[in-house]
Structure formats: structure tokens, C-alpha cells
Amino acid sequence: MSSISVRRLQKELREINKDCPQGIKLVKADDFETWYLTLEVLGESLYKGETFMLKFRFDAQYPISSPSVTFVADDKHQPPLHSHVYSNGHICANILGDGWSPVLSVSAVCISLQSMLASSRKKERPEGNDRYVQYAPDDPKKSRFVYEGMHLILDFQELYFADLTPYTVHFLDDRIWEVS
Amino acid sequence: MSSDYEFSDDDNEYYDGMDMDDDEDVEEQDDDSGISEEEMDIELARGGLTSAGKRKACEVDFDTVTQDAVEALIRRDVEHISSIFGVSEDVASLLLRHMEWNKERLIEKYMDTPTEISVKAGVTVTPPRPPSPPPSGRLASIRSKSSALVAKRTTRRSAAESASRSKVVTEPLVQPETTICQICFDDEQSEMNALSCGHKFCVDCWAAFIRGKIREEGEINIRCMASECSLIAPDSFIRTVLSGDDDTIKRHQELIVRHYVSCNKNLKFCPYPGCTYTVSCPSAASKSALTTIVPTVHCGASENHIFCFGCSIDADHRPVICPVAKLWLKKCQDDSETANWIKSNTKECSKCQSTIEKNGGCNHMTCKKCKYEFCWVCMGPWSEHGTSWYNCNRYDESSGVEARDAQARSRASLERYLHYYNRWANHEQSAKLSVDLYAKTEKKMEEMQITSNLTWIEVQFAKKAVDEVFKCRMTLKWTYAMAYYLEKGNQKELFEDNQRDLERAVEDLSELLESPIEAENIPKLRQQITDKTVYVHKRNEIMLEDTAQGFLEGRWKWNVDVEGF
Ligand SMILES: [Zn+2]
Ligand SMILES: [Zn+2]
Ligand SMILES: [Zn+2]
Ligand SMILES: [Zn+2]
Ligand SMILES: [Zn+2]
Ligand SMILES: [Zn+2]
């Protein structure tokens, strides 16, 4: 890990420990790669009384590159029911992608997610949640949005647009030929 | 068979090898009267001209443009804008990029609302605004970058606003008076830099940020690192910050060239990996042009950098036009029909029922188990194929007419589709297997050099034959897509006659290429392959040229609506 990301995270850690934003708690920060924080929405909101777990992953380029941020989805934790949060915990938010700025920080992200939930009017999953969850990469930063009708066509295009190189085809069913 | 059709050889003549008076025909010659390899090279290399010396209808006019030349075009536009607006070249470039290099529209807009356009282009910050505290950097920013979800953006705006209200709760990461870079907090960093907005950061952070945007994300417009700032780093700033990293500067320049090319309908960037050439093809710039020409072009870097100027469906989908190729591919991609494709890639031997896979380019199959020889395409015995080959390329449409009730009709339409699909996929698969054929041929070429006293140069004919087979299979593949959409009638029959002649010649050549090598038959085999290669090449030209001519004459009628693309 580069010294910049470590120095920067050390500073953020000191500040969070000294003065953590309301409704946010640092749960686990054993290293400078993965942090866990809990998040509550303050005041009146659809999420009153609920606590969510956030997982931050940092690469060596942090904060030049954005952290990878997801809501934890396991036996104990459920991601909030919100139109920008997929059931696997991936969050569709500009500041985590295009809108990321290196001057933003872990607590800035938490505050902004808090506000995102606070302003929600309806508890619902994003459109196309099931399909997204089915095809989403583990790291939401690698997500390219899943467009309508993408499923099988992908294999097909790989097959037909492939260069004249040896190729392998695993097509639906392994009765089918395989060339490698 | 149409005997009056100038390019068609009559079937029987073909097989008897009697049609020697026609100089287009080079079939079945004796060894000593066969054509020489030099003659073959001349035939194969005749390029864009027909034997009569006129420009081929199946080839479009295009020019190749180097990256330097595109950069010169860009410089010309930038200098022009810079001089008439009285702005720096940095600013002119940002303005042009914002307006997608449309100079006329830029001039018009700039005359109207210079401030608005400058703000949108990231040249200046939003003007009169009371001196606000330096960027807090805490807020979720709303970038103007077009986002697919407008609703999302509005939600986030309110999120940002409420976030700004809760800002007081936490300590600010950014202290206005500090000289420490607010990104890395490295107190050893002394050299700070800022765009005209004054958001200062250390040069190392700037460099890391800009390098990432260019190399990882392929961005040409790199915004200020402060979170609410929409200023874009001008080229001179990028060059200063990245000084020494020529690779990244070069990459940025390349991205600008690509952007310029993508904004110009007459230009297309060569899609081959690592290639920096551009092709200019104004005759294929409009959608309507694509209903009568197939703009297959190649860039100046290599004759092999072939691509379609009109679409990205296939590098060379001649003879079929882009909209029909697209229609066909879409049909093939339909899930319900995918399953049928799978069916077509494994078959059962019609004698012993064991499952067989196609594993060579040739359609002549021999069952491993019972040694039954048959045709992969029609599954008929191979022995009958000397005379009845044409049963293989033409689907008997009359069988569809008999279908009366809806169910039978849908079955007939599926069968009709499968007929074309199987042949289309078969050529695709065979072409892919050319890799194997190449390897096998190379081995044979070595063998030939050892067993006969042919030189390395003298065995090259085999490689050329494989090249030709591959090229023709690509043509054949797309002829089936075209035939599927061609309206029944004389014209379609003529098309299918050409198709059959080419197909038969290609299969013959494939067969020859796979025949065993024996020392005593090498000279004969060499002559046969050379002759057949030239013949196949000619048949391919005829197929392409006649189809292209037909487009120009409006001879082809479709059974679907092709105008609406
Ligand atoms: Zn810095
Ligand atoms: Zn700025
Ligand atoms: Zn190229
Ligand atoms: Zn095309
Ligand atoms: Zn068998
Ligand atoms: Zn057959």
C-alpha cells in the first residue's frame, strides 16, 4: 500500500475517533484496506430505528481513486430498502463513481449516504434489481450497468466477434462442442 | 440454371471441365497447361480493379489518415477559434471539445452567450458569487456529466444540500489557511498547483489523479479535484503536471484525436488494437448510403486492418449491406433461436446414430465409428454430391407454401430460418477452424519441402489457398444472411446460383487442401491447388461484384422493410 493512502487513512481514523459524525460508528478498522461502519438515519425518516452496516474497501490509489463502498448483506445485516441500493448491498451513487473527488473522505461518504436515505420517500429496490444482482461483479466499482437483453447475447457476441484465435465455447450445456 | 447469365458456368460444363473458351474459367486444367504461381499472385493481387481495369462496384473510395494528419486538423480548428474569439488555445480546445468539434455551432453559441458556454465547457467558474469559503470537499457533488438517471440526480442534489447542513457537526478536513495538500496531507510536499479556480493541491496528487483519469478511464476532460468544482484542466496544465511522463501525455493526445474522429461522420478510427490510423470515407457517412453500399475499408497501417465503415457487426460482411446484416444478427441472437443453433453444431450419423462434431473446414464428413461418408450440410451421402451439390444451398421454398394452418406455417418459417442459419453458422465455424487448417497446411508445406525438392517460396501456394478459403467462407457466410431476406424470384435465383458456384469451388479447394501428400503427386496437387485457388478467387469476386452492382441498380428486393434503419 502506498504511503499516501496510509497517511491519509491514518488521519481520517484519528478524526473519526475524535469526532465521529452523528449516527455513524466505526466498528472495525484493523488495517488500511477494509473498514466497517454502522449508519443510522437521524430524525424522522422511513428508516427510523434501523441500523445498517457499511463496508469500505480502499486500494493503494485511495483517495485519488474512490473507495469501494457497499452495504453489508448477510444473516445479520440487510441493506436499506432504497431505490439506489441493490439487494446485494451495491449502491448506485454518483459520489462513489464519476462524482468522486479525492478531497472527499469516509465520513463525507457516510454523511451523504445518510442524507440519501433521509430524503427517501418510498422503500423499494432499484429497477432491474434481480438481474443486476445476478450478474454484478463482486466489486461494485467494476460494475458496468446491465442493460436490457444482455444475458445470452454476450456469449453469442463473444463467439461471433472473436478473432481468428483458438477459442473455447461453453454454451449453455456441455453437450456442445468445445474447441480450445 | 440460367445459361444466359454471364458469370454462371453451367453445372455439367463445370464438372466436365469443358468450358475452356471462357477466359474467366480456369477449371480442371492439365498440369502443363495450368497457370503458374506468378500468374496466381497477379490474379490474387489485382486489388480494386476488375480484369477490365475499371473500379469495382464492391469497393468504396476511402482515404487513410494518420494521427499526425488528424492532429493537424485539430490544430487548425483550435487556432481558428483562438484567433476569432481572442482566447488562448487551451480555452479554444476546451470550447471545441464541449461543442463536439462543431465549429459553426460553437461560433454561433459563443456570440450569443459566451459566459454560459465557457462555464459549461469548464473554462471558467460560475461568475458573480460572493467569496465563499474554500471548497469544503465534504459534499456529494452533482456533476453536470450526463447521467442516465435524471431522477437520481435530483435525489442526490437534495442529499447534498442536507449534507451541507449537517456539515457543521463534523470537523472540516480542509483548513482554509493551510498550505498542506488536502488530499495527501503530506507536509513535505511544497509545490502546489491550481487551475484558475484556485483549488490548490500538491503536484504529486495532481499527477496521480490526471494519470489515473487518462490511463484508467480514458477521459479527455479532467475536472478539478475539488468536489464541487467543474473546471476542466487545460492541456497546458496537464502537460506541466505530467512533465516527464510522455507516455500519458501522448495517450491524452490520442484520446483527443479519437474524440475528434468520433465527432466527425466522415471519419472512423481503425478498431484494431493499438492502431492509431483513421479512415475517411465520406461516401458512407450517411445512413441512406448504407442501403446501397457495403463500405469495407482498411487503414493505412496494414491491409489486414479491415473493418466496416458503416457498422461493427463484422470486419467484412460483404456482400450484404449493414442494415440487413444487423437484422440477421439480431434474429440469430434471439434466445428462442439460439437453441436451434446449438442443435446445428452436433449431429448424428444418419447410419449409426453416434454423435459427431464437425472438426475440419471441409463438409465431407466420415463417421469415425461406421466410416459412413456424408455431407455435413445436408446429411446426404457424399457419393451423391458430385451431381446434386446444389441441393445443399437452396432451400426449397415451395415446401413452405404448402403449410396451411398457423402451426405448420410457423414450423415452416422456423425450418426456413434454420436452413439459412445452419449454412451461415457452418461457414463461420469452418472459417474458425481455418486456424487448424493453417497449422496442418504449414506441416504439409514442410513435408513437401523435404519429400520433393520444392523451395520454401514454392510451397507458399498452400498458404495462399488457405487464405482464399477463409476469405470466401466469410463471403459465403454473409450470402446466407442476405439470401434469407431476399424476396423470391429470378434475382434471388441468380444470387443463389452465384452462391452455389462459389460454395462448390470453396469446398473443392478445402477438400484438395486436406488430401494426403505423397511424393509422386506433389506436382499435380500443387497445380490443382493453384488453379483452384485462382478459380475460387474469381468466383468470390463475381459474387461480390455482382451483388454490389445489384445494389447500385436496385435489383435486390427484400422480404422485410430495410429502409427504416
Ligand atoms: Zn497531495
Ligand atoms: Zn477547482
Ligand atoms: Zn489499423
Ligand atoms: Zn457494415
Ligand atoms: Zn456412423
Ligand atoms: Zn450436402
Side-chain angles (χ1 to χ4, degrees):
Chain A
M1 219 171 192
S2 82
S3 60
I4 294 182
S5 77
V6 171
R7 187 187 305 114
R8 166 70 184 249
L9 285 167
Q10 274 169 336
K11 182 176 162 65
E12 287 195 40
L13 194 59
R14 272 199 306 277
E15 274 160 7
I16 286 177
N17 283 331
K18 197 174 74 194
D19 181 15
C20 198
Q22 276 183 18
I24 314 272
K25 263 199 203 85
L26 185 66
V27 178
K28 191 166 177 268
D30 297 344
D31 54 30
F32 297 112
E33 282 168 28
T34 312
W35 290 8
Y36 289 91
L37 294 99
T38 56
L39 181 152
E40 278 177 85
V41 185
L42 304 170
E44 286 306 315
S45 83
L46 296 175
Y47 306 92
K48 199 174 174 176
E50 295 181 64
T51 304
F52 307 106
M53 179 77 83
L54 277 168
K55 181 182 181 185
F56 279 73
R57 274 175 290 179
F58 311 98
D59 61 23
Q61 273 67 51
Y62 180 82
I64 296 297
S65 77
S66 62
S68 164
V69 184
T70 53
F71 280 106
V72 174
D74 60 20
D75 306 344
K76 287 186 201 127
H77 306 92
Q78 278 306 305
L81 209 52
H82 183 277
S83 58
H84 295 148
V85 182
Y86 290 92
S87 57
N88 63 353
H90 287 195
I91 307 160
C92 171
N94 197 31
I95 55 157
L96 298 175
D98 262 0
W100 171 255
S101 150
V103 299
L104 291 170
S105 62
V106 172
S107 54
V109 168
C110 289
I111 289 169
S112 141
L113 291 175
Q114 244 178 352
S115 321
M116 180 183 94
L117 295 179
S119 60
S120 169
R121 296 282 165 84
K122 199 174 173 194
K123 282 185 155 186
E124 61 180 5
R125 285 286 171 230
E127 229 178 86
N129 178 71
D130 293 353
R131 182 174 282 178
Y132 175 77
V133 171
Q134 191 180 350
Y135 293 100
D138 178 48
D139 181 354
K141 281 177 75 180
K142 293 200 185 87
S143 258
R144 295 282 174 272
F145 274 85
V146 180
Y147 299 106
E148 280 308 308
M150 181 181 145
H151 46 307
L152 238 170
I153 293 174
L154 209 105
D155 298 277
F156 221 87
Q157 281 177 342
E158 270 169 22
L159 190 59
Y160 285 108
F161 295 179
D163 287 332
L164 233 184
T165 47
Y167 57 106
T168 309
V169 183
H170 294 284
F171 218 78
L172 288 178
D173 165 342
D174 37 19
R175 281 185 302 114
I176 306 314
W177 46 277
E178 190 177 291
V179 187
S180 38
Chain B
M1 243 2 265
S2 57
S3 49
D4 58 342
Y5 187 54
E6 92 175 287
F7 293 130
S8 300
D9 308 299
D10 186 83
D11 259 340
N12 298 326
E13 281 175 350
Y14 174 88
Y15 272 99
D16 296 337
M18 298 300 285
D19 196 17
M20 304 309 286
D21 50 345
D22 183 350
D23 65 2
E24 283 288 310
D25 205 312
V26 288
E27 263 320 298
E28 310 284 330
Q29 300 183 11
D30 289 328
D31 291 354
D32 50 0
S33 65
I35 51 161
S36 71
E37 212 153 326
E38 293 82 70
E39 286 171 303
M40 167 166 84
D41 288 344
I42 292 164
E43 283 299 330
L44 301 187
R46 212 160 45 195
L49 299 174
T50 60
S51 36
K54 49 182 197 242
R55 178 112 212 142
K56 286 183 191 172
C58 66
E59 296 192 353
V60 288
D61 273 321
F62 62 89
D63 282 312
T64 190
V65 188
T66 62
Q67 179 161 337
D68 286 350
V70 180
E71 279 172 6
L73 292 174
I74 292 174
R75 257 196 317 277
R76 191 197 60 192
D77 284 359
V78 167
E79 280 164 14
H80 183 213
I81 290 297
S82 155
S83 71
I84 60 172
F85 291 178
V87 296
S88 70
E89 291 188 2
D90 270 349
V91 170
S93 174
L94 289 178
L95 289 169
L96 278 161
R97 270 138 67 173
H98 175 65
M99 294 304 284
E100 303 192 313
W101 300 96
N102 189 330
K103 234 171 25 177
E104 288 65 39
R105 263 189 58 222
L106 171 62
I107 292 169
E108 202 179 290
K109 286 240 175 180
Y110 195 82
M111 295 304 170
D112 258 11
T113 51
T115 318
E116 191 193 321
I117 197 110
S118 300
V119 170
K120 279 190 179 155
V123 173
T124 51
V125 283
T126 327
R129 216 183 173 197
S132 54
S136 77
R138 310 294 322 261
L139 310 183
S141 75
I142 295 96
R143 301 289 197 186
S144 59
K145 197 169 183 195
S146 71
S147 152
L149 299 166
V150 178
K152 188 174 82 188
R153 207 187 294 164
T154 37
T155 314
R156 218 169 303 104
R157 185 181 296 276
S158 59
E161 278 155 7
S162 38
S164 75
R165 258 175 266 121
S166 56
K167 181 174 62 174
V168 280
V169 180
T170 55
E171 38 59 62
L173 265 177
V174 177
Q175 283 113 23
E177 304 311 319
T178 189
T179 50
I180 290 182
C181 169
Q182 298 305 300
I183 289 166
C184 61
F185 294 97
D186 185 348
D187 43 24
E188 279 158 37
Q189 289 287 350
S190 53
E191 206 189 325
M192 306 284 273
N193 212 335
L195 303 180
S196 60
C197 54
H199 296 139
K200 282 190 175 173
F201 302 104
C202 79
V203 269
D204 283 359
C205 282
W206 270 117
F209 182 72
I210 293 175
R211 198 174 291 125
K213 288 285 174 193
I214 292 172
R215 303 197 79 99
E216 252 84 36
E217 296 169 42
E219 290 273 4
I220 59 165
N221 290 335
I222 298 148
R223 282 168 306 208
C224 171
M225 289 196 286
S227 89
E228 280 190 308
C229 189
S230 57
L231 227 61
I232 292 172
D235 293 354
S236 61
F237 184 85
I238 292 175
R239 277 195 300 273
T240 308
V241 164
L242 293 181
S243 72
D245 183 358
D246 293 346
D247 264 13
T248 309
I249 293 172
K250 201 175 136 219
R251 177 87 191 115
H252 186 242
Q253 199 55 41
E254 223 173 88
L255 289 168
I256 292 174
V257 166
R258 278 174 184 260
H259 183 249
Y260 181 87
V261 168
S262 74
C263 292
N264 187 328
K265 271 199 247 165
N266 294 335
L267 302 177
K268 274 256 156 78
F269 209 77
C270 174
Y272 284 76
C275 190
T276 58
Y277 277 75
T278 294
V279 167
S280 158
C281 185
S283 61
S286 77
K287 278 212 153 170
S288 62
L290 297 179
T291 57
T292 53
I293 58 165
V294 189
T296 309
V297 300
H298 63 82
C299 86
S302 162
E303 296 253 320
N304 296 325
H305 284 197
I306 297 166
F307 63 99
C308 177
F309 196 87
C311 72
S312 48
I313 287 168
D314 205 344
D316 183 355
H317 58 73
R318 284 180 298 172
V320 72
I321 49 174
C322 307
V324 174
K326 196 167 154 194
L327 206 62
W328 171 253
L329 216 65
K330 205 162 164 278
K331 181 164 184 62
C332 297
Q333 286 170 347
D334 185 340
D335 285 1
S336 66
E337 283 165 346
T338 309
N340 296 314
W341 178 83
I342 290 161
K343 263 204 314 221
S344 70
N345 281 283
T346 52
K347 282 179 182 168
E348 284 168 358
C349 167
S350 38
K351 259 215 170 119
C352 76
Q353 315 311 326
S354 62
T355 305
I356 27 179
E357 293 167 6
K358 186 161 167 55
N359 56 9
C362 164
N363 282 329
H364 182 178
M365 306 299 291
T366 308
C367 173
K368 278 214 173 82
K369 222 168 154 194
C370 74
K371 305 288 175 232
Y372 174 59
E373 289 178 67
F374 62 97
C375 164
W376 172 260
V377 176
C378 71
M379 301 301 287
W382 188 256
S383 55
E384 287 173 12
H385 270 68
T387 52
S388 64
W389 168 261
Y390 57 89
N391 285 336
C392 265
N393 84 322
R394 187 177 297 162
Y395 184 68
D396 182 7
E397 308 235 1
S398 67
S399 65
V401 180
E402 289 160 19
R404 291 232 159 69
D405 61 17
Q407 211 186 6
R409 256 202 307 280
S410 96
R411 204 178 308 133
S413 112
L414 181 66
E415 269 172 26
R416 179 176 176 277
Y417 163 71
L418 278 179
H419 166 87
Y420 292 98
Y421 184 78
N422 287 343
R423 282 151 186 78
W424 185 82
N426 176 51
H427 283 297
E428 171 77 9
Q429 198 193 340
S430 298
K432 292 219 151 121
L433 292 168
S434 300
V435 182
D436 299 347
L437 194 52
Y438 259 120
K440 272 193 242 166
T441 306
E442 233 153 58
K443 249 206 175 128
K444 264 189 198 170
M445 285 159 66
E446 278 167 31
E447 245 180 88
M448 279 191 267
Q449 287 180 68
I450 298 164
T451 48
S452 63
N453 45 11
L454 292 176
T455 63
W456 181 81
I457 299 259
E458 284 168 325
V459 295
Q460 292 305 307
F461 72 92
K463 213 170 148 283
K464 283 170 194 154
V466 178
D467 282 340
E468 205 56 38
V469 165
F470 175 75
K471 229 165 78 185
C472 295
R473 285 201 186 280
M474 285 297 138
T475 305
L476 282 166
K477 178 177 105 172
W478 288 106
T479 60
Y480 281 107
M482 175 142 171
Y484 180 77
Y485 290 110
L486 273 182
E487 204 166 271
K488 278 200 292 196
N490 279 348
Q491 293 304 328
K492 183 176 184 177
E493 276 178 33
L494 293 177
F495 180 84
E496 290 188 323
D497 287 344
N498 275 336
Q499 180 189 45
R500 186 214 49 236
D501 289 343
L502 174 60
E503 188 157 57
R504 190 168 52 195
V506 168
E507 297 303 345
D508 285 351
L509 181 54
S510 288
E511 183 96 12
L512 276 176
L513 281 168
E514 294 193 16
S515 60
I517 298 244
E518 282 140 32
E520 66 273 17
N521 74 9
I522 287 177
K524 184 159 178 270
L525 189 64
R526 177 168 176 247
Q527 192 60 58
Q528 281 178 319
I529 290 178
T530 307
D531 290 350
K532 193 63 91 177
T533 304
V534 171
Y535 179 72
V536 160
H537 179 78
K538 284 188 174 170
R539 291 255 56 110
N540 191 38
E541 279 199 342
I542 290 166
M543 181 86 243
L544 295 178
E545 191 58 20
D546 182 62
T547 314
Q549 204 63 52
F551 279 119
L552 297 177
E553 294 162 11
R555 236 194 292 141
W556 310 119
K557 300 278 176 274
W558 308 107
N559 56 25
V560 283
D561 184 17
V562 172
E563 303 310 316
F565 287 90

